[in-house]
Amino acid sequence: MSTFPPMREELRGETPYGAPQLDVPVCLNTNENPYGPSPAVVADIATAVAHAATCLNRYPDREHVALREALAAYLTRDVAHTGATIAAEQVWAANGSNEVMLQLLQAFGGPGRTAVSFAPTYSMYPEYARDTHTRWVAGRRADDFGLDLDAARALIEAERPHVVLLPSPNNPTGTALAPEAIGALCELVGERGIVVVDEAYGEFRRPGVPSALEALPAHRNLVVTRTMSKAFAAAGLRLGYLAADPAICDAIRVVRLPYHLSAVTQAVATAALGHAPELLGYVDALRAERDDLVVWLREQGLQVADSDANFVLFGTFADRHAVWQELLDRGVLIRETGPDGWLRVSVGTPDEMTSFKSALGAVLEEIA
Ligand SMILES: *Cc1c(COP(=O)(O)O)cnc(C)c1O
């Protein structure tokens, strides 16, 4: 009997990525920045789009040079204290860091090759591996969700991966990687493969936690990915990027689709980068709100993972789905993700946090 549609066998029955997109008063489920752009930023973006529109009959700049220069200048601020700079040839951008990651696996993974990560971690990584026919191996994190370096070493020696994917801070746990782990893993993988540190939430890290960008000069096989979706308050834009050795960017150019970044995307991203201080202006407020939230959750007697991101993983609940549903019934949408019994909440505005706390407080009383 034939089954329609005639898709790849291993994709049958798979469900698409689907964080619920529900219309609720308080949305704390996908780690978005709750603060939208100001009228001045909107006006600047509109002007940039109008300008891009005058040349829409032409294909955009395949190499998105102006945008890469702006991104390189932005990243250089993170490493300036070490005397290093990041050049435009070291930067590559795509439609969200999800596309960057897929391109990395297209170029460095593939049939006969292996990608490794450490669970619990970002749910999309195994899907990129599946989609690129890359063998997927998931190690485990330690009980506190940190990376157990000895266990990681053993797994990498046994599996000899071509791609190691390490979010820092990790999603959904919020855990940052120790800087010595990055160097150690890069050396262990060596020139056989690449180590990708996914810093989607890098801007939210706590004081004293360095960016993996600092390790770029020492490790040719290190790739650091970033996004404009989280701290930069531009999830709707779809712009992710990486910094690495220029040879890695050249490898990606082989697999990228022609003109993958539209002229409109390039124009909006470049205009938004011109307003980086404003768009990033709420990062400090969100970090403070996060730290308060961790304290409050612990005061309720809950377990809470230390967080360097704009979300917090807490638990544990015998029936986490019931807690998630009870919160939703009270107009607060969070995320049912991570290890069994845990839930993840994004950090929102002070008003949103007040709603979340009062809703969760009521639910905790009910289940007590
Ligand atoms: C949100 C997130 C991203 C960002 O994805 P975009 O495609 O840039 O929006 C990347 N990695 C992790 C771990 C994330 O949580």
Side-chain angles (χ1 to χ4, degrees), residues 284-304:
D284 286 343
L286 289 165
R287 290 156 91 211
E289 198 72 60
R290 169 204 57 210
D291 293 342
D292 288 351
L293 177 62
V294 169
V295 170
W296 182 84
L297 287 165
R298 285 186 178 142
E299 282 168 2
Q300 310 314 302
L302 293 164
Q303 281 194 69
V304 186

Side-chain angles (χ1 to χ4, degrees), residues 6-19:
M7 66 201 303
R8 274 164 51 192
E9 215 49 66
E10 70 275 23
L11 298 181
R12 282 185 202 284
E14 292 279 292
T15 45
Y17 170 84

